[in-house]
Amino acid sequence: MNESNRGGGWRVSVDTGGTFTDVVVADEHGRFTIGKALTTSGRIFNGLSAALENAAETLGLTRADILGRTDILIYGTTRATNAIVTGTIAKTAFLTTAGFPDVLVLREGGKFNPHDFSTPFPAPYVPRRRTFEITERIDARGSIVLPLDETQARQTLQTLRARSYEAVAVALLWSIANAAHEQRLGALIEAELPGVPYTLSHALNPILREYRRASSAAIDASIKPLMQAHLRDLQSDLRESGYRGEILVSTTMGGCLDVDSVIERPIHTVRSGPAMAPVAGRHYAALEEARESVLVVDTGGTTFDVSLIRDGRIATTQDTWLGEQFTGHMLGIPAVDARSVGAGGGSIAWLDPAGLLRVGPRSAGARPGPACYCLGGTAPTVTDAALVLGYLDPDYFLGGRMQLDVAAARAAIETIATPLGITLEAAAYSIFAVSNETMINAIKDITVAEGIDPGEAVIVAGGGAAGLGILPIARELRCRAVIVPRTASVLSACGMQFSDIQLEQSASAPTRSVDFDRAAVNAALAYIDTHLDTFAARLADRGFRERRMTYRVDAHYAAQVWDISVDLTAPRIGSDSDVATLVESFHANHRRIFSVDDPASPVEFLNWTGRVAIALPQQRSGETLAGAAHTVPVGTRRALFDEHDAREATIYRGEQIRVGDVIAGPAIIEEATTTLVLPPGTRARLMPTGSYVVTLDD
């Protein structure tokens, strides 16, 4: 990075969730210090600043000291995702080719229950009344069939101005073959709607599949006013606080981008939080030499996210839905394959009209929060249940910085116990059991559906609430072992510490294996390289020079609908042998996913994608955890490990455990920012790497 911006070689990563803002401060030797504070929904810097001050207090420094020593700050946020989920996006106009106004309405089809007509047809991301048809037409070869009617286009834009639209998404038919009309519309938007942000689909996501390209453009445009203001405010607040280093933002691909690139394309922040947990999980699994399949789970205050690592590679997907599959909205860009369900520490327990207990997806968030936080919340949550069950120490939450109210938690759980006619403890345990079942189903969805036996995988557990219920989940799935890092509560923020700067660029070049058009494919790959080289050169000027390039293509058998990705072994397709290798790789991927292939059928290749990964400086000292001289328990506490199984659990503090010692359940290990509950029949060993490796008796 620029010498003028150099601090002391420190790196700070920030993850702002729905409940807590997590900060990880890494010094020049790679030693981590954790800071936590409640997320502030208004000016995000207030919560970030409080978390930095918490970390600074641990280090005996000030917030200004940390910022002055920091070269790189990586920021992750759920703000874009939350805005989409809650509908607090900008008033967005969708401009498309005349005659095709229903791209967002009709989507790609698909329905889980094809004969169920009771469910209403889902609404489009941009309401149909906000779709405007533009007179123009380009064909699949890029030829102009009907010129752009600039007079009509200007009239449309003047209508948008009169109706106070806040953003514009443009997705014209076959703009990926000829972008001239979209580019001209962009110029007209700047002239007629100065200051109004807009997104051109060919520039954001130049791929085949009209709905995906249109959906990504609409999502990107709709969050631009919010995210551009948010990120610029963050920049301003950091600079005013004395920070002079680089500002990067975590992305949905499991990497990060410079803040200016994200301001231009904020869609890359959508679902970026779950994308960072597997980056950290891969690192922690490698430290324990876990080479088999790894499940990374991140249990936060609002959601439970699960992702998969196979052969050291994080699973990615082209089919990321915001909401339920088919009825939600397609993100349209590649993303880490992380499945999320509404089950976290702040998830609210409730009774449905039939009197059945449900947990989530609604969450109490940071404010009013769980009832035991005493911040105005009264609804029963998983955290309240954990307190009633004896899993949490009310005087040692967040290392004693936050006091929990047991009476408030009991009163909240009573609203579930009384209608069900069961004891308070039984209600609390039932809340945990229902929440765990939701998490188990999410894990099965990402493993069994991919042909993986979860019992053969190792779990890396993260998130502030991870240690409360992960071991009953692992037992149910028959997993071999569970790795719980001492930094589990800030798993996503830790992932940013191990990430790269990453950018992807796509190009469309449809061709078939039986008549492969090498010239068109190589032209598409050259186009991709031009864009990625420009991006990499800009960062090289700022000191980030170490890079690597990878390529892949989306493909399917002729007449199939859904694509799978195939990696390229070289940046160009140079010979018939290269084509044969690519085709065989597709067959192998198809066999792995679907347990069948069809070598007699031709393969269709559609969208080609390149990714540049630019390495951040990694300063790791290789030091091992010192640990305590002796393992000393601090007492016992009654805890309920089954509905009718209350036992005295031995309580340990993390800093008072010697490396290599084994803690047998029933026990509870309390770290400053997380708690690990060990039911009977489980054993945790503190490793020199700073993680607990937990095994379960048969």
Side-chain angles (χ1 to χ4, degrees):
M1 58 178 295
N2 277 340
E3 292 297 324
S4 60
N5 291 338
R6 289 199 67 85
W10 288 27
R11 185 181 307 171
V12 170
S13 53
V14 182
D15 179 38
T16 57
T19 305
F20 287 101
T21 293
D22 301 333
V23 162
V24 174
V25 178
D27 65 15
E28 68 273 21
H29 301 296
R31 292 182 292 241
F32 286 0
T33 301
I34 297 173
K36 264 186 176 291
L38 290 172
T39 295
T40 50
S41 57
R43 198 79 168 187
I44 203 70
F45 184 74
N46 294 335
L48 190 160
S49 179
L52 277 174
E53 288 172 355
N54 174 229
E57 183 180 351
T58 302
L59 291 167
L61 301 171
T62 66
R63 184 192 70 191
D65 292 333
I66 290 179
L67 292 177
R69 299 181 186 188
T70 299
D71 293 332
I72 299 172
L73 185 142
I74 309 173
Y75 174 66
T77 178
T78 59
R79 181 152 296 202
T81 307
N82 293 343
I84 293 169
V85 170
T86 60
T88 55
I89 55 177
K91 182 180 180 181
T92 306
F94 177 61
L95 275 53
T96 190
T97 301
F100 297 86
D102 294 319
V103 172
L104 294 179
V105 175
L106 299 178
R107 310 178 185 223
E108 288 182 345
K111 191 176 182 181
F112 283 118
N113 300 303
H115 302 294
D116 178 11
F117 299 103
S118 62
T119 303
F121 195 85
Y125 186 79
V126 175
R128 181 66 172 75
R129 67 184 181 278
R130 294 180 180 172
T131 296
F132 298 85
E133 299 179 61
I134 301 298
T135 303
E136 66 86 38
R137 186 65 185 271
I138 291 174
D139 67 17
R141 293 179 174 83
S143 301
I144 296 177
V145 177
L146 181 65
L148 175 67
D149 187 336
E150 292 201 14
T151 300
Q152 185 259 351
R154 286 184 183 274
Q155 290 172 347
T156 299
L157 296 176
Q158 289 164 7
T159 298
L160 301 187
R161 184 175 62 216
R163 297 180 184 177
S164 302
Y165 277 85
E166 300 167 320
V168 181
V170 181
L172 302 180
L173 197 67
W174 291 111
S175 62
I176 55 173
N178 183 345
H181 288 176
E182 276 199 5
Q183 290 169 341
R184 181 57 184 157
L185 262 180
L188 293 176
I189 291 170
E190 292 181 0
E192 298 292 338
L193 301 171
V196 174
Y198 64 92
T199 298
L200 305 180
S201 69
H202 82 275
L204 176 69
N205 195 18
I207 61 170
L208 279 173
R209 297 196 184 278
E210 193 71 11
Y211 167 64
R212 298 183 181 212
R213 182 162 55 86
S215 182
S216 60
I219 291 170
D220 185 70
S222 73
I223 59 176
K224 269 184 173 172
L226 170 73
M227 292 306 297
Q228 289 180 343
H230 174 67
L231 293 172
R232 285 167 180 154
D233 285 345
L234 176 68
Q235 277 184 300
S236 174
D237 290 339
L238 284 169
R239 299 309 183 201
E240 289 178 5
S241 296
Y243 179 63
R244 296 292 177 263
E246 292 285 346
I247 301 174
L248 306 177
V249 180
S250 67
T251 70
T252 189
M253 294 185 296
C256 53
L257 280 173
D258 60 298
V259 68
D260 294 328
S261 295
V262 177
I263 286 174
E264 182 181 345
R265 299 180 176 188
I267 191 173
H268 290 296
T269 67
V270 179
R271 289 187 55 79
S272 61
M276 280 300 172
V279 178
R282 178 173 60 186
H283 174 82
Y284 289 124
L287 289 178
E288 305 306 331
E289 299 184 353
R291 297 183 176 87
E292 52 277 278
S293 297
V294 178
L295 287 166
V296 182
V297 301
D298 189 4
T299 315
T302 305
T303 61
F304 172 84
D305 305 316
V306 56
S307 48
L308 177 66
I309 300 170
R310 297 185 65 172
D311 300 321
R313 301 184 62 179
I314 298 170
T316 59
T317 180
Q318 305 289 109
D319 301 327
T320 301
W321 290 86
L322 300 174
E324 294 293 329
Q325 188 177 0
F326 304 131
T327 60
H329 307 291
M330 174 67 75
L331 193 61
I333 61 174
V336 168
D337 189 5
R339 315 291 170 88
S340 299
V341 292
S347 294
I348 294 174
W350 52 287
L351 300 178
D352 68 12
L356 297 176
L357 176 63
R358 309 286 188 182
V359 179
R362 193 162 62 92
S363 172
R367 293 185 183 275
C372 60
Y373 283 11
C374 293
L375 297 175
T378 57
T381 68
V382 174
T383 298
D384 294 309
L387 186 58
V388 169
L389 292 172
Y391 298 166
L392 298 175
D393 183 343
D395 298 320
Y396 196 70
F397 194 70
L398 291 184
R401 292 192 298 115
M402 187 174 180
Q403 303 297 304
L404 301 182
D405 189 329
V406 178
R410 294 178 67 87
I413 301 298
E414 193 64 57
T415 64
I416 298 294
T418 299
L420 293 178
I422 58 179
T423 66
L424 192 72
E425 288 76 12
Y429 185 80
S430 298
I431 290 171
F432 242 82
V434 171
S435 177
N436 283 356
E437 191 62 32
T438 301
M439 299 177 188
I440 288 170
N441 289 336
I443 292 174
K444 288 181 177 178
D445 183 48
I446 203 171
T447 53
V448 176
E450 293 290 332
I452 295 172
D453 180 1
E456 297 178 355
V458 170
I459 293 179
V460 176
L468 299 178
I470 190 58
L471 296 181
I473 291 173
R475 187 181 296 281
E476 178 72 19
L477 295 170
R478 299 182 180 277
C479 290
R480 294 178 52 252
V482 178
I483 300 170
V484 184
R486 297 184 76 180
T487 55
S489 67
V490 291
L491 194 68
S492 289
C494 286
M496 299 177 203
Q497 295 281 347
F498 309 125
S499 64
D500 298 325
I501 299 174
Q502 295 182 9
L503 182 71
E504 289 196 346
Q505 180 66 42
S506 296
S508 176
T511 189
R512 280 194 173 195
S513 56
V514 292
D515 187 20
F516 196 89
D517 190 342
R518 289 211 306 266
V521 168
N522 287 331
L525 292 170
Y527 167 84
I528 289 169
D529 280 349
T530 298
H531 283 262
L532 296 183
D533 287 343
T534 300
F535 172 77
R538 177 163 58 85
L539 287 173
D541 291 340
R542 291 154 60 178
F544 301 106
R545 298 185 177 87
E546 183 183 338
R547 66 169 177 164
R548 65 184 184 278
M549 304 278 284
T550 55
Y551 304 85
R552 67 176 186 275
V553 60
D554 300 331
H556 58 238
Y557 286 122
Q560 278 188 325
V561 176
W562 307 114
D563 301 325
I564 61 176
S565 291
V566 182
D567 293 334
L568 275 65
T569 57
R572 296 291 185 273
I573 306 297
S575 65
D576 291 343
S577 175
D578 292 341
V579 176
T581 299
L582 188 61
V583 171
E584 179 51 42
S585 295
F586 172 81
H587 293 319
N589 281 9
H590 202 280
R591 283 195 303 271
R592 177 180 59 81
I593 297 172
F594 301 110
S595 299
V596 66
D597 63 347
D598 186 10
S601 292
V603 179
E604 292 184 336
F605 301 95
L606 299 179
N607 302 309
W608 305 80
T609 301
R611 172 184 291 194
V612 59
I614 301 171
L616 295 177
Q618 297 294 324
Q619 295 174 308
R620 297 291 173 262
S621 64
E623 294 179 4
T624 57
L625 181 68
H630 303 282
T631 298
V632 181
V634 297
T636 61
R637 185 165 67 242
R638 182 179 178 274
L640 195 70
F641 293 100
D642 202 341
E643 188 173 353
H644 305 292
D645 184 14
R647 303 195 186 191
E648 288 295 315
T650 307
I651 310 301
Y652 297 87
R653 297 280 165 80
E655 68 275 12
Q656 297 177 3
I657 298 176
R658 183 172 59 185
V659 170
D661 280 1
V662 175
I663 307 297
I668 297 173
I669 300 173
E670 297 174 339
E671 293 283 346
T673 57
T674 193
T675 299
L676 176 57
V677 177
L678 297 172
T682 62
R683 300 173 184 275
R685 182 187 298 273
L686 179 59
M687 308 301 288
T689 55
S691 292
Y692 296 99
V693 175
V694 187
T695 55
L696 296 83
D697 296 343
D698 294 334

